[in-house]
Amino acid sequence: MIYQNPIVRGFYPDPSVCYANSKYYLVCSSMQYFPAVPLFESEDLLNWTQIGHCLTRTEQIALKNVNSSGGVFAPTIRFHDGRFYMTTTNSTTNQNFIVWTDNIYGEWSDPIFIDQNGIDPSLYFENEKSYFMSNGSDAEGISGIVQCEIDIATGEKRSPSKTVWQGSGGRYLEGPHLYKIKDYYYLLAAEGGTEYGHMVTYARSTSPYGPFEAYPNNPVLTNRNLGGFQIQGVGHGDLIEAPDGSYWLVHLGFRQTGQWTTFHHLGREVFLSPVEFHDNGWFTAGIDGTTPEYVNVPYAKEVQRFQNEYTFLNTDFEKEWCYLRHPLIENYTLCKNQITLNGSSNSLDDVASPTFIGLRQKEFCCRINCDIEIDHGEAGITLYMDENHHYDLALLKVPEGYQIIERICIGNIKSIEAQYSLGNSSRATLVIESNSQEYRFFVNSENQNILLGTGLTRYLSSEVAGGFTGVIIGLYAFDQDSTNTAKFTNFKCEYLHE
């Protein structure tokens, strides 16, 4: 059966996957958003359902005043001896830690910190030993993939941290994972930086301590030389065995906005590429070492499912929705047919936690509409990349009544591009339409959509904004006096085909 990449769409970077109890589980980075580390479940590696997050309590992860693209980096999920473990980095505090759970649908433990530097931590279990690795440098100052043995219950190191591999020569060696498959230990990694030069590389050894011999034809998977190809930035993967015994790489990549427009704003997404082991013990990946949009999955029994419509009624506020950093939860009243937000003095431009709740944008082409009512202050829909790059369509109380504004924030350029008077009406229907190249902003008046203006998608892209996130479709409220109330109803985000 033919499947389409990406298999998890929108800002879900740095995927890691494990198998337990006849199902697959996947986690991704979440950066400055909370709850942290989205958690998915699948029966076939292809159709994924979000079942929660690993970090749901403020005491598990420090996110106060974390800059955009700081916070939670590159988690790894593993299952060992009946227990799930997730390890990740808080890149802002420079701490690696582990949490665990015996119930994948329940709460995870408080963090267990590991005294090893670097980012992108991973775990490997064998013969009552627990191995911990990250990228970084060892006690002798040698940089690369660093490994030690730990007490998995306490995080205490049982061996010194030692660099076991320095990669194949690409910059930014990261994302290590260790596996034992037949006669070899395979050390998988990413190199080249998580942009257009990204790639998957690996090495092998007969011992978990090395020495590791690099695959002669590294990189084993990359799209770095595919000019004019939509899928770019392929790298940072995790190796997994499918239900039929075949092997696959679950990895990140991104979709640029057009064949020759090298911008991406949906974030890094989750892709699937086939792996083939050969008689000499080496493996190859992808189609001639690249990740295609369409991939043949011989074991697949179910058709690929994409959700094309998101509303308050068919989403779970504790799963698909997210906040910026740690929210002041009393400012949010979340019901199945209405969200009520109490505005704070923290704006979308602040490195703080404004009153904001959002969904990841999953496709280029979409139509977003929502009814909004305020008493005073400001409330609206934001297309949010970070505190310095967002487009806002908002309902605003002004001395002469109410008005709709279209605002752009691009770096240090902050401009109200259009205004539309509502007179004394404190309620409005806001509409945003998008394709791969632009957003269009409307207010619905007398059943007609009145165009206020447009904004190019490229100015919300990683190439312009920098960082490692993607656009979040956010609902927000703001009031300098922290006293306004905004009601959001009839929200719908519908994905279309370009």
Side-chain angles (χ1 to χ4, degrees):
M1 188 176 294
I2 302 298
Y3 269 68
Q4 185 182 18
N5 272 316
I7 55 171
V8 182
R9 307 168 89 83
F11 161 53
Y12 294 103
D14 308 319
S16 175
V17 62
C18 75
Y19 180 77
N21 305 323
S22 301
K23 292 185 179 180
Y24 296 92
Y25 296 94
L26 181 144
V27 292
C28 300
S29 296
S30 51
M31 309 303 169
Q32 74 269 31
Y33 292 97
F34 185 82
V37 188
L39 174 64
F40 295 83
E41 181 181 71
S42 175
E43 294 183 352
D44 59 6
L45 288 175
L46 297 161
N47 291 296
W48 294 91
T49 301
Q50 189 171 354
I51 60 173
H53 297 81
C54 296
L55 305 177
T56 57
R57 304 187 303 278
T58 57
E59 59 267 26
Q60 289 174 304
I61 181 69
L63 292 177
K64 184 178 180 180
N65 296 332
V66 167
N67 287 320
S68 289
S69 294
V72 178
F73 275 22
T76 296
I77 188 169
R78 293 292 182 257
F79 182 72
H80 172 67
D81 200 20
R83 176 167 286 180
F84 291 92
Y85 296 90
M86 190 281 295
T87 181
T88 189
T89 304
N90 186 331
S91 68
T92 303
T93 62
N94 298 314
Q95 292 175 300
N96 288 312
F97 63 92
I98 296 169
V99 293
W100 59 266
T101 186
D102 294 327
N103 175 12
I104 195 66
Y105 307 106
E107 287 287 306
W108 292 66
S109 72
D110 287 337
I112 301 167
F113 294 98
I114 310 298
D115 183 20
Q116 180 166 292
N117 64 17
I119 61 172
D120 299 3
S122 187
L123 292 167
Y124 175 72
F125 300 95
E126 184 181 69
N127 297 331
E128 305 302 319
K129 291 184 178 181
S130 304
Y131 298 86
F132 180 88
M133 61 172 48
S134 60
N135 82 327
S137 57
D138 62 17
E140 298 178 2
I142 300 173
S143 63
I145 302 303
V146 181
Q147 179 178 268
C148 67
E149 294 178 29
I150 62 169
D151 182 330
I152 194 63
T154 66
E156 181 181 358
K157 289 170 66 171
R158 289 181 167 173
S159 71
S161 297
K162 180 177 175 56
T163 295
V164 294
W165 192 48
Q166 293 188 284
S168 64
R171 63 176 181 169
Y172 303 135
L173 176 63
E174 58 192 355
H177 296 301
L178 185 66
Y179 318 88
K180 175 69 182 299
I181 301 173
K182 295 184 178 178
D183 296 331
Y184 291 102
Y185 294 87
Y186 294 91
L187 178 51
L188 193 73
E191 299 180 51
T194 186
E195 295 100 14
Y196 288 84
H198 212 27
M199 52 188 174
V200 178
T201 62
Y202 77 98
R204 72 183 186 187
S205 175
T206 55
S207 166
Y209 304 99
F212 284 90
E213 176 191 5
Y215 172 52
N217 298 314
N218 272 325
V220 68
L221 186 72
T222 185
N223 283 18
R224 64 184 181 180
N225 294 322
L226 295 181
F229 193 71
Q230 187 183 57
I231 297 172
Q232 299 289 339
V234 165
H236 199 120
D238 206 355
L239 194 62
I240 192 72
E241 185 177 3
D244 67 342
S246 60
Y247 278 87
W248 297 78
L249 271 174
V250 175
H251 61 86
L252 68 76
F254 57 78
R255 290 175 284 168
Q256 63 183 30
T257 57
Q259 184 177 7
W260 302 109
T261 52
T262 53
F263 300 92
H264 74 285
H265 62 282
L266 300 185
R268 296 169 298 157
E269 307 174 289
V270 182
F271 291 75
L272 187 71
S273 293
V275 169
E276 183 180 358
F277 278 87
H278 301 279
D279 291 341
N280 60 8
W282 297 112
F283 65 82
T284 52
I287 306 302
D288 296 325
T290 66
T291 296
E293 179 179 2
Y294 293 96
V295 58
N296 181 34
V297 184
Y299 68 81
K301 297 180 180 179
E302 292 190 36
V303 297
Q304 195 169 20
R305 302 186 301 271
F306 293 118
Q307 184 173 339
N308 293 319
E309 185 176 290
Y310 291 79
T311 68
F312 292 159
L313 294 173
N314 70 3
T315 55
D316 188 325
F317 291 120
E318 295 184 354
K319 295 176 183 176
E320 293 99 333
W321 295 77
C322 60
Y323 305 95
L324 271 167
R325 307 170 186 91
H326 293 314
L328 190 62
I329 204 65
E330 55 263 38
N331 284 338
Y332 301 80
T333 302
L334 310 178
C335 302
K336 272 300 180 184
N337 59 353
Q338 177 177 292
I339 286 179
T340 301
L341 301 181
N342 298 323
S344 76
S345 59
N346 293 327
S347 78
L348 296 173
D349 299 338
D350 295 332
V351 183
S353 185
T355 302
F356 166 106
I357 185 168
L359 289 169
R360 290 154 170 86
Q361 183 179 344
K362 296 178 180 292
E363 304 289 354
F364 295 124
C365 298
C366 69
R367 187 177 191 274
I368 307 156
N369 61 265
C370 190
D371 295 336
I372 302 178
E373 183 177 1
I374 63 172
D375 48 11
H376 58 281
E378 175 185 330
I381 306 171
T382 181
L383 303 168
Y384 185 92
M385 184 59 153
D386 61 32
E387 59 269 15
N388 296 312
H389 300 84
H390 52 89
Y391 295 152
D392 312 326
L393 182 61
L395 173 59
L396 182 65
K397 179 68 172 70
V398 293
E400 58 271 22
Y402 295 87
Q403 67 179 18
I404 303 298
I405 61 170
E406 176 211 351
R407 179 194 294 118
I408 66 168
C409 177
I410 305 170
N412 61 358
I413 301 171
K414 304 179 192 302
S415 172
I416 293 178
E417 295 290 286
Q419 298 168 298
Y420 181 87
S421 176
L422 295 175
N424 292 321
S425 176
S426 63
R427 182 183 177 90
T429 299
L430 305 184
V431 179
I432 301 175
E433 295 179 352
S434 76
N435 56 36
S436 64
Q437 302 301 316
E438 71 174 7
Y439 295 101
R440 307 176 76 211
F441 303 95
F442 302 86
V443 57
N444 186 279
S445 179
E446 298 180 354
N447 294 320
Q448 290 187 340
N449 286 340
I450 298 171
L451 177 65
L452 298 182
T454 64
L456 295 177
T457 60
R458 67 177 59 189
Y459 295 119
L460 300 186
S461 71
S462 295
E463 288 75 16
V464 172
F468 310 117
T469 59
V471 169
I472 304 289
I473 301 165
L475 307 178
Y476 76 96
F478 168 74
D479 184 22
Q480 201 66 253
D481 298 324
S482 302
T483 58
N484 81 326
T485 298
K487 296 179 181 179
F488 298 78
T489 54
N490 299 317
F491 172 84
K492 181 166 68 172
C493 176
E494 181 180 10
Y495 290 109
L496 312 167
H497 294 285
E498 197 167 4

